[in-house]
Amino acid sequence: MNIAQIKQIDLVDYLRAIGFSPTKESAKSAWYRAPYREDRTPSFKVNKDKNLWYDFGTAQNGDIIDLAELLYKSKDVSRLLKLIENAAPALAPRVRTPISPNGERLTDQFRNVKVVDLNHEALKSYLQSRGIDLNIGECECKEVHYACYKKEYFAVAFPNIAGGYEIRNPYFKGCIAPKDISIIRKADRLKRDCCCLFEGFMDYLSYLTLVKLGRITEGSETPDYIILNSVGNISRGIEPIKKYEVIHCYLDNDDAGRRVVDTLQELLGSKVQDMFAAYPLYKDLNDFLRNKKKI
């Protein structure tokens, strides 16, 4: 990879690949103990939007190459490029596009979109790295190939009711328009007794995996499933949600998720059930599946 490509490698992914995990993380930033010096109080911050870092302890800052200079104690750029690539060979440059308020990357530059059955080993490996049962992933998801800014990419794709797709791979989170909610009805029945509500499709896949593992128990009748594909889509979900007698809310265990539950309870009353008690120490169902507790 050349300098431009190396600079597109996501700093958080790179630090994770070389053994450094954040002590605190949000949609826009991640905090670490500085990886190149003794740092008792985490003072090294990565700005995810800009893919730049700043060390509050030393007032140093820069991109991935500036970080590599400190990590590898060298100013030989050619050597640094090789060291970065060798240290994290699985990482690929990330397409950096505008980010919505909820952290999703937005673009209207998708071209030559082709949707096929999920078959690529790298995407299967990605789902397995998230703890998802592979049979469930293959059944529920598709594989999408597309061009963006004259480069070819591929990702796991999950359809919504408007014909668009939520797409994910280890380096990218986005949507192929149109954006909308997803509804999965597992049984052909007129009466809508129960549905489970999720924020994103990875939570939905995690739920199905947890049920298969026996870590979450469903009732005797399989519910329907509604995936918002962003808490910002809650207004789109009200009409289909209110048709159910019971709504189990498996949303993110954070302020945004709780606000959605509060809103639904105000509108629909006691039939909206908060399911946070199933994973009180975890940010979401996927973290619960992987036993990744909140710090």
Side-chain angles (χ1 to χ4, degrees):
M1 287 185 278
N2 58 33
I3 291 177
Q5 290 172 322
I6 287 288
K7 286 185 176 182
Q8 288 298 307
I9 290 177
D10 186 80
L11 272 170
V12 173
D13 291 339
Y14 176 69
L15 286 164
R16 185 177 293 112
I18 61 174
F20 296 94
S21 298
T23 60
K24 183 172 66 173
E25 187 171 7
S26 68
K28 293 187 177 182
S29 64
W31 287 84
Y32 302 80
R33 289 181 172 84
Y36 45 79
R37 64 178 180 84
E38 186 176 348
D39 188 13
R40 294 184 179 180
T41 302
S43 58
F44 183 93
K45 179 183 178 182
V46 172
N47 182 315
K48 293 183 177 181
D49 291 353
K50 297 180 179 179
N51 203 37
L52 298 172
W53 58 271
Y54 186 87
D55 187 339
F56 285 85
T58 63
Q60 293 169 291
N61 64 90
D63 56 28
I64 191 170
I65 297 175
D66 298 312
L67 174 59
E69 284 188 16
L70 297 172
L71 285 170
Y72 304 119
K73 297 179 173 57
S74 173
K75 291 187 177 293
D76 183 335
V77 175
S78 296
R79 179 170 179 266
L80 292 175
L81 297 184
K82 290 180 181 179
L83 287 169
I84 293 170
E85 193 167 1
N86 291 339
L91 298 184
R94 177 181 290 188
V95 177
R96 300 203 161 269
T97 51
I99 298 177
S100 70
N102 65 4
E104 185 169 73
R105 296 178 183 276
L106 308 173
T107 179
D108 59 359
Q109 298 296 320
F110 293 116
R111 299 288 184 270
N112 303 325
V113 176
K114 181 181 179 182
V115 179
V116 298
D117 290 338
L118 181 60
N119 191 51
H120 200 291
E121 290 302 320
L123 298 180
K124 292 180 182 180
S125 178
Y126 167 60
L127 289 178
Q128 289 179 310
S129 76
R130 299 293 298 267
I132 305 302
D133 180 273
L134 192 52
N135 289 332
I136 290 172
E138 290 174 332
C139 178
E140 301 290 335
C141 300
K142 293 290 186 179
E143 175 181 319
V144 63
H145 293 253
Y146 58 94
C148 186
Y149 297 107
K150 298 182 180 180
K151 293 186 178 181
E152 302 292 327
Y153 299 94
F154 59 93
V156 175
F158 188 77
N160 62 43
I161 63 173
Y165 288 89
E166 299 298 310
I167 62 173
R168 303 286 186 275
N169 64 35
Y171 317 108
F172 186 80
K173 175 182 179 181
C175 173
I176 295 178
K179 181 84 171 179
D180 213 324
I181 66 173
S182 302
I183 300 177
I184 295 94
R185 295 190 172 97
K186 292 294 186 178
D188 184 15
R189 55 180 181 264
L190 294 176
K191 187 178 179 182
R192 299 297 173 203
D193 293 322
C194 177
C195 80
C196 295
L197 180 67
F198 307 95
E199 179 174 334
F201 79 85
M202 200 61 69
D203 298 308
Y204 166 63
L205 300 178
S206 298
Y207 173 87
L208 295 182
T209 301
L210 288 162
V211 170
K212 185 173 182 178
L213 293 172
R215 292 172 59 188
I216 287 180
T217 303
E218 285 190 324
S220 57
E221 188 172 303
T222 302
D224 291 345
Y225 307 98
I226 297 177
I227 300 92
L228 295 175
N229 296 321
S230 168
V231 291
N233 277 341
I234 185 59
S235 61
R236 298 171 183 261
I238 296 294
E239 285 303 314
I241 289 169
K242 71 181 186 182
K243 297 176 182 178
Y244 292 88
E245 297 300 318
V246 179
I247 303 102
H248 291 158
C249 296
Y250 289 95
L251 298 172
D252 284 7
N253 190 9
D254 57 17
D255 290 342
R258 292 181 180 278
R259 281 196 297 270
V260 171
V261 174
D262 290 343
T263 298
L264 290 174
Q265 287 176 336
E266 288 179 12
L267 290 170
L268 305 175
S270 61
K271 67 179 185 178
V272 177
Q273 298 184 5
D274 169 355
M275 304 303 289
F276 293 128
Y279 47 105
L281 302 178
Y282 303 86
K283 178 183 179 295
D284 56 30
L285 280 177
N286 189 246
D287 280 0
F288 177 43
L289 173 61
R290 294 183 293 159
N291 196 30
K292 183 181 175 182
K293 294 181 179 179
K294 291 193 293 185
I295 297 174

